[in-house]
Amino acid sequence: MSSPGIMRLIIIFLAAYMIGNINPAIILGKIRGIDIRKEGSGNAGMTNTIRVMGLGAGITVFVVDVLKGFVAVTLGYSLGSTYGAMAAFAGVVLGHCFPAVFGFKGGKGVASAFGAALALNWISALAALLIAGVLFGITRRMSIASLAAALAYPALVWYFKPEYFYFAICAAAFLMIMHLANIKRIAKGEEKPLTIGGSNKEEEEQTK
């Protein structure tokens, strides 16, 4: 399969990056007079939204973040096939984590990466979600669940959609880097379980 061309890939990446800038956690917080990045863990993602604004707001954030990842990669694939899908995946996750319109401070990219992964290959994405669900049910720690899913994702892609295997390794590595602080706390046994509503700034920085 031929490449769609570097300029088209750049355009796809930039368009996906701007889609990623749509951060529902920050927007919902502003509507409620809250800067989510200054509350709870300071992370503009689902987990911190649940802890600060409640379960309903957290579910809304999760759905919107998943949708924006899915839409970005679907559009990327339609415009640039496999290469376009990967460019869009990278763009939307980076846009979520480092949004230019919000001072380059966003979430950790898990929900948007999940939505992107759904568009890339839904079977491997749902298998990763199942792993995350089981781990969260056991540990009550979203960071452990997300890290386990990220670690498993390349192997799942290798089995179901091997042409994306090396890209999946890069995506998983990026999510691991975004969770280095969580990894350190897990190693020390200091990672706390998810609580709902009104967390304080001293709580650990949780995942999205």
Side-chain angles (χ1 to χ4, degrees):
M1 180 181 60
S2 61
S3 171
I6 187 65
M7 286 307 301
R8 177 173 290 192
L9 290 177
I10 290 172
I11 291 170
I12 291 170
F13 174 86
L14 291 175
Y17 174 82
M18 293 312 299
I19 292 173
N21 274 236
I22 302 169
N23 191 304
I26 297 175
I27 294 169
L28 276 178
K30 288 183 179 295
I31 291 172
R32 300 188 183 194
I34 297 171
D35 186 345
I36 193 67
R37 296 167 298 176
K38 295 180 180 178
E39 302 290 337
S41 69
N43 182 50
M46 181 194 72
T47 301
N48 196 38
T49 300
I50 290 175
R51 298 157 97 196
V52 175
M53 292 188 280
L55 183 61
I59 292 173
T60 300
V61 167
F62 177 77
V63 170
V64 174
D65 281 339
V66 170
L67 281 175
K68 74 186 183 188
F70 184 86
V71 168
V73 172
T74 298
L75 289 174
Y77 187 85
S78 69
L79 294 172
S81 194
T82 299
Y83 295 104
M86 291 187 287
F89 193 127
V92 73
V93 173
L94 287 172
H96 174 82
C97 296
F98 308 108
V101 298
F102 294 119
F104 298 98
K105 185 179 180 183
K108 293 187 177 180
V110 175
S112 53
F114 171 64
L118 273 175
L120 208 64
N121 177 249
W122 66 270
I123 300 177
S124 56
L126 290 181
L129 179 64
L130 178 61
I131 291 170
V134 171
L135 265 293
F136 179 73
I138 294 171
T139 68
R140 307 302 296 175
R141 288 161 175 80
M142 193 67 76
S143 56
I144 293 177
S146 299
L147 288 166
L151 285 171
Y153 183 60
L156 293 167
V157 169
W158 173 261
Y159 184 79
F160 291 110
K161 200 75 171 176
E163 59 264 40
Y164 293 120
F165 175 65
Y166 294 109
F167 178 80
I169 291 176
C170 293
F174 175 79
L175 292 179
M176 298 291 286
I177 291 169
M178 293 299 295
H179 290 80
L180 285 177
N182 300 86
I183 293 170
K184 291 177 182 177
R185 283 192 298 273
I186 291 168
K188 294 177 181 179
E190 297 174 353
E191 189 81 324
K192 296 178 182 178
L194 175 64
T195 56
I196 299 175
S199 63
N200 57 56
K201 190 68 180 178
E202 282 67 42
E203 284 185 288
E204 86 287 5
E205 184 183 31
Q206 284 282 9
T207 186
K208 162 85 171 53

